Amino acid sequence: MTTTESALRASEIKKALLEQIDRYEDKLQVEEVGEVLEVKDGVARIWGLSSCVANEMLEITSNDTGTTVIGLASNLEEDNIGAVILGDYLVLKEGDAVRRTGRVLSVPAGPACLGRVVDALGVPRDGRGPIDAKTLMKVDRKAPGIVYRQSVDQPMQTGLKAIDAMIPIGRGQRELIIGDRGTGKTAVALDAIINQKGQDVICVYCAIGQKGSTVAGIAEKLREEGALDYTVIVAANASDPAPMQFMSPYGACAIGEYFMYHEGKDVLVIYDDLSKQADAYREASLILRRPPGREAYPGDVFYLHSRLLERAAKISDDPKAIEGHPDIHKAGGSLTALPIIQTQAGDVSAYIPTNVISITDGQIFLETDLFYSGVRPAVNVGISVSRVGGNAQIKAMKGVAGRLRLDLAQFRELEAFAAFGTELDAATQGQLDRGVRIVEILKQGQYQPMPVQEQVMVIFAATQGYLDDLEVPSIKGWEKGFLEYMRAQEAAVGAAIVGEGKISDETEAALRKALDFYAGIFGSGEPKTATA
């Protein structure tokens, strides 16, 4: 064999070997496998995953049962990883295999989720089979920057007169609902969901640390009211591990973000409640041996809530403004957040309440004394505030509600003064009487949200003095009959308020005429003329 032939032969052998190596590498699957060192109270310590990244999903497989549970890498230490278990940690034990997934925690989202009850990972809990949701949304996502946002200027009506008139909520706002246990916080949130029927708003209700029976009752009530069709319920029950409870709001927010980012829709997300989420996070953090701070909460408990609530936004309507954002596929969507916080004995200056108050755009404070005195919703107008204000109201509501809040504030002061038994002049007594009637007209039953045009008409009647001659016990009967009369005989007035967004001179004249006429029907004798 000549030298040239030998060289050709060697090159052929080299080429064949390289091809074989390439084919082998194509077939070869390399995976990093770790091992569980210990498991306790929903947290596992894992050894052997040196390339793992923060918040990466890990698959932990039980050697005994073959069950796979998802873990979330939380603490990255020198020689081990602290992972919170999002599932049943009782099936795991020392020596179980752990594999990396290479992706951060995500939840399936899409229209298929509507009407369903899911857990923090998007797994169905309502016994109605799997959910065919093809899009995966990152559970923990960076909030959109100010470049991609626009001002909040569109109302998110709750259907509750006291809130829509005096503490308005806008689409894209973060409004805190705060109060002691049993003051109607969840009732306000559910009324807001029911009121979105026919408004093309997607609702996500996140139940954190509640009884399974309570969540089932909420789902059934929403179904009865026809609200479950546009609602997703994300449930992390009290019996679930602490990691599932503190991750569930992020999962709920991710499901809502799908509709905001991908479909450009308006979304309402309710977190009920973030006090329990903070408690669950404290529990998991202490087990992970993170240093405790004030009230034993970890130092990053503020960040726990801020990175969640900052994701509420009103996305710009301009398609050019959203160019370059990796997540936003459609302009004009919004996500409104209604976080709920439970206080102890009305103490809004505690650690978690003050944290969340500082993050949100206002708060609705529900007071125990008002609730038990029969004022429901038990909104304390003095402490409650909306930092968006009149921008989140139609002009008609803004026009009648400005006077309402002033009248109510004066009434509260005079009521405290009159409690001393001092003799009052006629003008002061008139203000007190007007205030009592305004408080009465703002009362509203649970699951009875009211359309905005009817709210405007009723509040107009109260502030313009049409109720001054009525006995207080008869006011609720007057309101019911008046609204039935307006729907049947004067529907054009309500349509004009909705269509124009304001009370024009013609609409006001028609409304006053209807009020005078109804006064004659409701009372006895001639129709009464109102005094301002």
Side-chain angles (χ1 to χ4, degrees):
M1 185 181 290
T2 64
T3 308
T4 306
E5 289 174 339
S6 297
L8 286 169
R9 180 68 176 158
S11 66
E12 287 173 2
I13 292 169
K14 181 182 178 183
K15 184 180 178 183
L17 285 170
L18 288 171
E19 286 177 356
Q20 289 293 331
I21 290 167
D22 285 341
R23 288 197 201 101
Y24 179 73
E25 286 181 347
D26 287 343
K27 294 175 184 175
L28 187 65
Q29 289 186 341
V30 180
E31 64 177 4
E32 203 174 342
V33 181
E35 188 177 299
V36 174
L37 295 175
E38 65 171 351
V39 181
K40 57 183 179 184
D41 295 329
V43 170
R45 295 222 164 264
I46 297 164
W47 173 85
L49 298 180
S50 57
S51 304
C52 181
V53 298
N55 287 335
E56 183 177 355
M57 288 174 70
L58 305 174
E59 291 181 347
I60 309 174
T61 306
S62 169
N63 293 335
D64 293 341
T65 63
T67 306
T68 299
V69 181
I70 297 295
L72 185 67
S74 297
N75 278 18
L76 303 181
E77 300 177 15
E78 278 189 42
D79 55 350
N80 68 80
I81 294 165
V84 294
I85 309 302
L86 301 174
D88 185 8
Y89 61 89
L90 297 175
V91 301
L92 305 177
K93 66 176 187 178
E94 182 183 346
D96 288 344
V98 186
R99 289 174 175 79
R100 292 183 59 199
T101 63
R103 55 191 176 91
V104 294
L105 188 63
S106 301
V107 63
C113 295
L114 295 175
R116 301 299 301 269
V117 181
V118 300
D119 67 10
L121 300 177
V123 178
R125 283 198 155 178
D126 51 10
R128 292 168 52 200
I131 298 173
D132 184 24
K134 296 179 174 61
T135 307
L136 285 176
M137 299 291 290
K138 290 179 183 176
V139 164
D140 209 347
R141 184 190 300 268
K142 187 178 177 183
I146 56 170
V147 175
Y148 307 105
R149 300 178 182 236
Q150 63 176 320
S151 299
V152 174
D153 57 5
Q154 191 178 359
M156 175 66 76
Q157 302 284 351
T158 64
L160 299 170
K161 290 169 284 187
I163 292 173
D164 292 343
M166 297 181 289
I167 317 143
I169 301 169
R171 297 189 180 187
Q173 190 177 343
R174 302 154 299 183
E175 183 79 8
L176 173 64
I177 301 172
I178 185 168
D180 283 7
R181 182 178 180 182
T183 51
K185 301 185 296 298
T186 301
V188 168
L190 293 181
D191 280 344
I193 290 177
I194 293 167
N195 195 55
Q196 303 315 311
K197 191 172 184 179
Q199 305 294 319
D200 196 28
V201 175
I202 301 297
C203 300
V204 183
Y205 176 79
C206 181
I208 310 160
Q210 297 187 29
K211 292 184 294 183
S213 58
T214 303
V215 178
I218 289 169
E220 187 56 37
K221 186 62 188 177
L222 291 177
R223 185 179 287 110
E224 286 175 15
E225 299 289 341
L228 198 59
D229 296 338
Y230 53 85
T231 305
V232 185
I233 297 177
V234 180
N237 297 340
S239 57
D240 289 340
M244 290 290 277
Q245 293 185 43
F246 83 74
M247 287 307 299
S248 59
Y250 299 102
C253 188
I255 291 171
E257 282 177 331
Y258 167 84
F259 295 99
M260 173 173 67
Y261 289 151
H262 289 256
E263 298 189 7
K265 291 195 172 184
D266 295 310
V267 183
L268 172 64
V269 185
I270 289 147
Y271 306 111
D272 189 7
D273 63 74
L274 294 188
S275 305
K276 292 190 179 75
Q277 187 210 11
D279 292 346
Y281 187 62
R282 173 171 61 184
E283 180 183 330
S285 296
L286 290 172
I287 298 167
L288 282 165
R289 304 179 74 83
R290 290 179 178 174
R294 178 176 164 186
E295 294 181 25
Y297 289 105
D300 63 341
V301 73
F302 180 92
Y303 182 55
L304 174 81
H305 290 147
S306 65
R307 76 178 191 264
L308 170 69
L309 296 172
E310 275 297 309
R311 288 159 71 175
K314 185 170 174 60
I315 302 299
S316 174
D317 289 328
D318 184 3
K320 290 183 179 178
I322 63 168
E323 285 179 2
H325 196 286
D327 299 322
I328 304 174
H329 300 276
K330 200 168 181 181
S334 72
L335 191 145
T336 308
L338 293 184
I340 294 175
I341 287 287
Q342 184 172 304
T343 55
Q344 303 290 335
D347 183 15
V348 294
S349 62
Y351 188 30
I352 299 302
T354 49
N355 276 354
V356 183
I357 285 171
S358 68
I359 297 164
T360 50
D361 304 315
Q363 66 276 346
I364 298 166
F365 182 72
L366 303 176
E367 198 172 61
T368 309
D369 292 345
L370 287 174
F371 185 85
Y372 288 115
S373 66
V375 179
R376 300 177 187 178
V379 179
N380 181 322
V381 183
I383 299 178
S384 301
V385 66
S386 171
R387 296 189 182 101
V388 174
N391 291 341
Q393 288 176 311
I394 62 172
K395 288 183 179 179
M397 180 63 85
K398 198 188 299 187
V400 300
R403 179 163 183 166
L404 173 76
R405 184 155 194 159
L406 181 64
D407 286 350
L408 204 55
Q410 290 176 339
F411 165 68
R412 293 295 183 200
E413 288 184 12
L414 288 173
E415 190 181 34
F417 179 71
F420 293 106
T422 314
E423 283 193 23
L424 304 172
D425 58 78
T428 306
Q429 189 61 50
Q431 273 188 312
L432 272 173
D433 292 342
R434 172 79 59 89
V436 169
R437 283 156 178 77
I438 287 175
V439 169
E440 189 68 24
I441 205 72
L442 289 178
K443 292 179 183 178
Q444 203 164 333
Q446 191 174 355
Y447 310 128
Q448 296 172 17
M450 185 180 289
V452 64
Q453 68 273 19
E454 295 186 357
Q455 293 185 44
V456 169
M457 292 187 287
V458 166
I459 293 169
F460 179 87
T463 55
Q464 295 296 316
Y466 283 90
L467 308 182
D468 289 357
D469 294 337
L470 292 177
E471 294 296 325
V472 174
S474 66
I475 285 176
K476 297 311 287 183
W478 176 93
E479 179 188 34
K480 183 181 177 183
F482 172 66
L483 291 176
E484 287 174 355
Y485 168 74
M486 294 302 290
R487 289 184 210 119
Q489 304 296 330
E490 301 285 349
V493 175
I497 293 172
V498 173
E500 298 170 9
K502 62 180 182 178
I503 301 180
S504 63
D505 292 341
E506 294 80 5
T507 305
E508 182 177 342
L511 181 55
R512 286 186 182 277
K513 184 179 178 183
L515 281 162
D516 285 336
F517 182 76
Y518 181 73
I521 298 171
F522 185 79
S524 57
E526 293 299 312
K528 294 180 274 290
T529 303
T531 55

